Amino acid sequence: MIGRLNHVAIAVKDIAAAARVYRETFGADVTAAQAQPDHGVTTVFINLPNTKIELLEPLGADSPIQGFLDKNPSGGIHHVCYEVDDILAARDRLVAAGARVLGSGEPRIGAHGKPVLFLHPKDFCGTLVELEQA
Amino acid sequence: MIGRLNHVAIAVKDIAAAARVYRETFGADVTAAQAQPDHGVTTVFINLPNTKIELLEPLGADSPIQGFLDKNPSGGIHHVCYEVDDILAARDRLVAAGARVLGSGEPRIGAHGKPVLFLHPKDFCGTLVELEQA
């Protein structure tokens, strides 16, 4: 069911500093920062040859990653995102297997303009998993 | 400098249960568990089309991931591994940039039989980074 690893998301306090680490220290291909007020984050993508790293900085008072940064003030790996061919079929299969989908259980449009869902970390090895329609 | 994302490592308490989640719930291609006493872990690989997820369970009394699991009893994302063409050149460049390499600073042979180094999380957005010779 799951396909490609679409991205690994890393939450950071200072996205400009984090982008500099990846651009200058790691010599990677790093995009410009983009505010995504609908998602409560500012994003930077690091384009690796086979996948992406997504840097996330909280944006606004209700950012969904602020709690994570409060617990991990140096930043840390926040989630992994797997692609699926059919997000509704994937959701139904996961729910039938007893897994919990976060929020309303209905896909919403994610930071890449595609339908996404988040799965409960306790059901997936302590890891927050995002599913994205491929 | 950094190339492909070689793998994302997820530390788990029960690797058989975690492998079942990825094989049965996620329908992924999951390898058999392999004890790696030299590294203090048992590993399972999840082969995605573009990269791998590495599940790690502590093995033995001095497992390097036991402390992480004590802090994260449900498991969690432990590190990311980037490939580099020349690990010694990469190490020298990182050290010159002020980054800290863990341990002796000399590459050792990792779980895939290739030279690896680990970098200090504080210098890399709170993220433990492994570099592996491609």
Side-chain angles (χ1 to χ4, degrees):
Chain A
M1 183 181 77
I2 59 169
R4 296 174 76 258
L5 177 74
N6 184 276
H7 64 268
V8 178
I10 299 177
V12 300
K13 210 173 350 190
D14 179 346
I15 203 164
R20 226 168 18 244
V21 164
Y22 270 84
R23 185 184 294 114
E24 294 173 15
T25 313
F26 274 151
D29 172 19
V30 175
T31 68
Q34 194 168 2
Q36 308 226 17
D38 287 356
H39 297 96
V41 291
T42 298
T43 54
V44 159
F45 289 98
I46 295 143
N47 295 309
L48 302 179
N50 60 333
T51 189
K52 294 190 291 275
I53 306 296
E54 182 182 60
L55 302 177
L56 301 173
E57 183 189 76
L59 178 65
D62 301 318
S63 174
I65 63 166
Q66 188 59 57
F68 179 87
L69 277 173
D70 290 344
K71 274 181 242 156
N72 304 276
S74 304
I77 305 174
H78 185 261
H79 67 265
V80 289
C81 175
Y82 301 127
E83 296 178 3
V84 292
D85 283 335
D86 181 335
I87 200 161
L88 292 176
R91 189 252 335 248
D92 293 347
R93 174 176 163 163
L94 292 168
V95 170
R100 287 166 285 180
V101 175
L102 298 184
S104 70
E106 292 305 313
R108 59 190 197 90
I109 299 303
H112 312 139
K114 295 186 170 178
V116 301
L117 285 172
F118 283 87
L119 308 178
H120 199 302
K122 294 257 173 179
D123 296 336
F124 295 95
C125 318
T127 302
L128 180 60
V129 175
E130 180 179 15
L131 296 183
E132 181 174 296
Q133 175 90 39
Chain B
M1 181 181 78
I2 58 169
R4 297 175 74 258
L5 177 74
N6 184 276
H7 63 267
V8 179
I10 298 177
V12 300
K13 211 174 349 193
D14 178 346
I15 204 163
R20 226 167 19 244
V21 165
Y22 270 84
R23 186 184 294 115
E24 295 172 15
T25 313
F26 274 152
D29 172 19
V30 175
T31 67
Q34 194 167 1
Q36 308 226 16
D38 288 355
H39 297 96
V41 290
T42 299
T43 54
V44 159
F45 289 97
I46 295 142
N47 295 309
L48 302 179
N50 60 333
T51 189
K52 293 189 291 276
I53 306 296
E54 181 182 59
L55 302 177
L56 301 172
E57 183 190 77
L59 178 66
D62 301 318
S63 174
I65 62 166
Q66 189 59 58
F68 180 88
L69 277 173
D70 290 344
K71 274 182 242 158
N72 304 275
S74 305
I77 305 174
H78 185 262
H79 67 266
V80 289
C81 175
Y82 302 127
E83 296 178 2
V84 292
D85 283 335
D86 181 334
I87 199 161
L88 292 175
R91 188 252 335 249
D92 293 346
R93 175 175 162 163
L94 292 168
V95 169
R100 288 165 285 180
V101 174
L102 298 184
S104 70
E106 293 305 314
R108 60 190 195 91
I109 300 302
H112 313 138
K114 295 184 171 180
V116 302
L117 285 171
F118 282 88
L119 308 178
H120 199 302
K122 294 258 173 179
D123 296 335
F124 296 96
C125 318
T127 301
L128 180 60
V129 174
E130 180 180 14
L131 295 182
E132 181 174 296
Q133 174 92 39

